[in-house]
Amino acid sequence: MEQEQQRPYFFFSYARRDFEAEDAFVNQFFNDLRDELGRLLGAAVRTEELAFRDTEQLRLGDDWAERLATMLGRSRTMIALYSPAYFASLYCGKEWTAFRGRVRRHHEDTGELVPALIPVLWEPVGSAELAAEVTRVQWVQPDMGEAYARHGLRALLRTARSEAYEQVVRVVAERVRDAAARRLGELPEFDLGAVRGYFPPPAAPEPAPSPGMVRLFIAAGCASEAAAEGGSDTGGWYGAKPWHWAPYYPPTRPSLAARAQQVITAAGHTTTLEEIGPGLGEKLDQAREDSQVSVLLVDPWVAGNGRYRAALSEYDDQNHPVTGVVVPIGSNDPDGEREAPWTGVRGVFRRNWLRRSDLEHLFRVRVSQESFDNDLTIMVTVAQNKLMDDNLDWGDDGGDAFGFGGDAFGFGDDGPDMPGLTIPAGPPGRPRPPGPRHGPAAARHRPDPAPNEPPGQRRGQDDAVPLRGDQDDDH
C-alpha cells in the first residue's frame, strides 16, 4: 500500500523523553500491541497497515510535521502513552488535541461518538494537574487489572509481571480493533504546528467555577399508606411525607432525601427537592436547559404503583442524559419480601433496567447503605460531565469547536476554557460543577417551587430538607 493512502489502525503518540529513557520498553509495548492487533485482525491485514510511529515510518526528506498531521487525520485510532513526560510535551499536546478534535467533529457530523482516542497509562500522573478536557477521557477500565491502574504499564514491564502486562496489551488491542471497525471520519489537511494543545497546562490555575445546582426528585411511600396496606414495612421506614422515607435499618434521621442533600452540598453544590409527579419530563428538560443536573430517588416498593408509575414510565421512555436514578435496597426487608418490589421496578424502568450495570453510573438499583454516598457522588459527577458536553458552544459549522479553526479547541490566541470533572475511583473529592450557561441571570436562576414541594428549611437541622440551598449561595 502506498504511504499516501495508508489508514493505520493506530497512531502511536508518545513522549520522546520516555522513549529515550526506556527505549526498550517503549519499543516492546509498541511491537507487542501491533502483533496482538495483527493476531486479532488476521493475516488479511499487512503489518505496515497496523500502526504508524514516527521513528519507523518517516522517510528521509519528509516534512515531519506535515506527515504527522496527515497520519493523525487518517489513522483509525490513536494510542496516547500517558506519563508526566507526555503531559509536559508541547507536540504530544498538539497530537492529542488534534485527534480529540477529530473525534468531536465526527460526533458533530454523524451523531456517533467513536472511542478512538485510547489512553494507555505508562506512568502514574496526577489528574489534578491535567487540563480538564484530558480528565474527561478515562484511561483505566476494570479489565486492565489493579496493578496497571496503580503503577502503570512501564512498572509491569520493569518488574516482569508478564501476565498483568499481557492482559493490558490484549485489552488495548481489542479496543483498537473495535473502535477501528466504526470508521472514524478522516480529517482534511491541517497545520499541526498551528494547533494549540491542551498541555502543557498553564502555570496559573483558572478560577473555580460557580457551584452547580442538583435537582432531587423523590418517589416514596408514606406511613399512612403503608399502614392502610398492612405491610410489614410500616415501622419507621416511612413518615408523614415522601421525603421522610428512611429505607436503611435501623431507620435513621435525617431521612434519605436529607442525607442525599448533605452529600451533594458537601461536594460544593446546592439542591432542590420535590416529589415526583405529572410533568416530570418537562421539569427535567428545564433543569438541563438551566445547566442543572437531576437525580431521582425511587422507593422500590412504590415504583410500580398508580401514584408514580405514569411519571416514571414516561421518564423511562424519554431521553434525559443528565439525570441519574438511585433505587436503594432496604437493609432489613423480610427475607421473603426482598425480591417483591423489583418486579415493579423492572416493569416501570423497562429500558433503563438494562443500564443498571453500565460504567456510566447513571442508573443504580439495589444501592446499599454503605455505598449510597459514593454512588450518589459519582452519579452527580458523571451527569455534570455530560452536561458540560451539552453546554459547549460548538459554533455554526462545527469546525472551530473541534479544534480546527478557532479558539475553542486549541487554535487562536486564547487558551482552552473547558472546566471538567473526573470520576472518583475511591473516596470522592470535590468535583467541580459546570458554570452558568446563560450568563449572570441564569447563574442566579432558581426554579419556582412546585405545588407539592415540602416547606424549606435551613441546612444543619435534624431531618432538614433545604429546597434551594442557603439564600446567599451563588448558583
Side-chain angles (χ1 to χ4, degrees):
M1 177 182 293
E2 292 294 327
Q3 252 194 347
E4 287 72 14
Q5 302 303 317
Q6 281 183 334
R7 291 196 74 243
Y9 276 79
F10 69 87
F11 180 103
F12 194 66
S13 178
Y14 65 98
R16 180 73 60 179
R17 277 169 45 193
D18 289 329
F19 174 70
E20 292 171 349
E22 301 278 4
D23 61 329
F25 290 151
V26 173
N27 282 336
Q28 181 178 344
F29 171 59
F30 173 80
N31 291 328
D32 289 345
L33 177 60
R34 182 178 57 186
D35 293 346
E36 177 65 14
L37 180 62
R39 186 189 67 79
L40 292 174
L41 295 174
V45 180
R46 296 188 298 175
T47 300
E48 58 268 26
E49 299 176 55
L50 295 172
F52 175 86
R53 181 183 176 191
D54 58 355
T55 56
E56 295 197 351
Q57 297 186 6
L58 284 178
R59 301 174 300 186
L60 185 65
D62 279 347
D63 182 323
W64 67 272
E66 180 180 346
R67 182 69 180 146
L68 288 177
T70 299
M71 289 297 99
L72 280 167
R74 291 181 181 170
S75 296
R76 305 173 195 223
T77 69
M78 187 179 90
I79 300 295
L81 207 60
Y82 281 10
S83 71
Y86 187 82
F87 291 108
S89 167
L90 176 64
Y91 259 85
C92 289
K94 291 175 179 289
E95 292 170 0
W96 193 99
T97 302
F99 199 88
R100 175 69 164 165
R102 181 181 164 198
V103 171
R104 286 191 174 279
R105 171 174 286 185
H106 180 86
H107 182 228
E108 172 75 0
D109 291 345
T110 68
E112 179 188 27
L113 186 58
V114 180
L117 199 166
I118 304 172
V120 173
L121 186 63
W122 186 244
E123 287 187 278
V125 293
S127 59
E129 301 174 1
L130 303 181
E133 178 70 3
V134 175
T135 65
R136 294 153 69 96
V137 182
Q138 295 301 304
W139 60 77
V140 175
Q141 60 188 64
D143 54 356
M144 287 178 154
E146 182 181 353
Y148 164 79
R150 181 176 299 177
H151 304 295
L153 197 59
R154 175 175 173 268
L156 300 186
L157 281 165
R158 295 190 68 183
T159 56
R161 302 180 69 164
S162 59
E163 184 175 343
Y165 168 74
E166 290 168 2
Q167 177 182 356
V168 175
V169 172
R170 182 168 57 254
V171 170
V172 174
E174 290 170 351
R175 288 188 62 182
V176 171
R177 176 199 61 190
D178 295 345
R182 297 170 65 177
R183 197 170 182 89
L184 183 68
E186 295 188 26
L187 186 69
E189 293 183 4
F190 66 98
D191 182 0
L192 184 61
V195 175
R196 187 176 43 79
Y198 279 105
F199 46 92
E206 303 243 345
S210 303
M213 172 70 79
V214 180
R215 297 193 65 177
L216 289 172
F217 296 83
I218 189 166
C222 300
S224 58
E225 296 169 345
E229 295 174 2
S232 59
D233 52 348
T234 60
W237 281 265
Y238 298 122
K241 300 294 183 181
W243 47 88
H244 294 151
W245 172 46
Y248 299 126
Y249 185 84
T252 59
R253 296 293 181 266
S255 65
L256 188 75
R259 177 174 172 179
Q261 292 186 306
Q262 289 176 353
V263 171
I264 293 168
T265 55
H269 316 308
T270 53
T271 67
T272 66
L273 174 67
E274 63 182 275
E275 186 180 4
I276 288 174
L280 174 64
E282 289 82 356
K283 293 177 182 180
L284 297 178
D285 287 340
Q286 185 61 53
R288 182 182 178 191
E289 179 66 22
D290 293 337
S291 295
Q292 301 166 359
V293 303
S294 302
V295 174
L296 312 185
L297 303 174
V298 179
D299 177 1
W301 289 94
V302 303
N305 71 17
R307 182 177 178 184
Y308 297 114
R309 184 178 184 87
L312 294 177
S313 294
E314 180 183 89
Y315 163 82
D316 190 64
D317 288 337
Q318 297 171 346
N319 179 34
H320 295 287
V322 297
T323 298
V325 178
V326 179
V327 187
I329 185 170
S331 51
N332 200 39
D333 289 343
D335 291 341
E337 298 182 9
R338 288 183 70 85
E339 294 302 316
W342 301 105
T343 300
V345 174
R346 286 193 297 269
V348 78
F349 291 115
R350 291 175 300 130
R351 294 174 58 212
N352 280 280
W353 184 262
L354 302 177
R355 303 168 53 218
R356 64 191 184 280
S357 299
D358 285 359
L359 295 177
E360 192 177 50
H361 214 95
L362 285 179
F363 186 82
R364 283 292 178 263
V365 300
R366 301 178 188 268
V367 176
S368 68
Q369 182 173 11
E370 294 73 24
S371 66
F372 178 82
D373 292 8
N374 193 56
D375 280 359
L376 179 61
T377 302
I378 293 175
M379 180 176 291
V380 169
T381 301
V382 170
Q384 289 180 320
N385 280 337
K386 293 171 73 68
L387 181 65
M388 289 174 192
D389 282 335
D390 190 36
N391 284 356
L392 288 175
D393 182 4
W394 287 355
D396 294 333
D397 61 2
D400 293 356
F402 291 92
F404 302 97
D407 294 342
F409 276 81
F411 286 78
D413 297 329
D414 298 327
D417 184 14
M418 293 181 55
L421 297 162
T422 56
I423 301 174
R430 290 176 61 93
R432 295 186 181 275
R437 184 175 183 183
H438 300 301
R444 293 194 174 272
H445 173 78
R446 293 188 173 105
D448 294 332
N452 55 355
E453 279 188 356
Q457 300 181 21
R458 300 281 291 185
R459 293 187 210 139
Q461 298 175 351
D462 184 44
D463 202 19
V465 184
L467 292 186
R468 312 178 193 285
D470 294 341
Q471 294 302 309
D472 58 350
D473 282 344
D474 181 12
H475 302 311

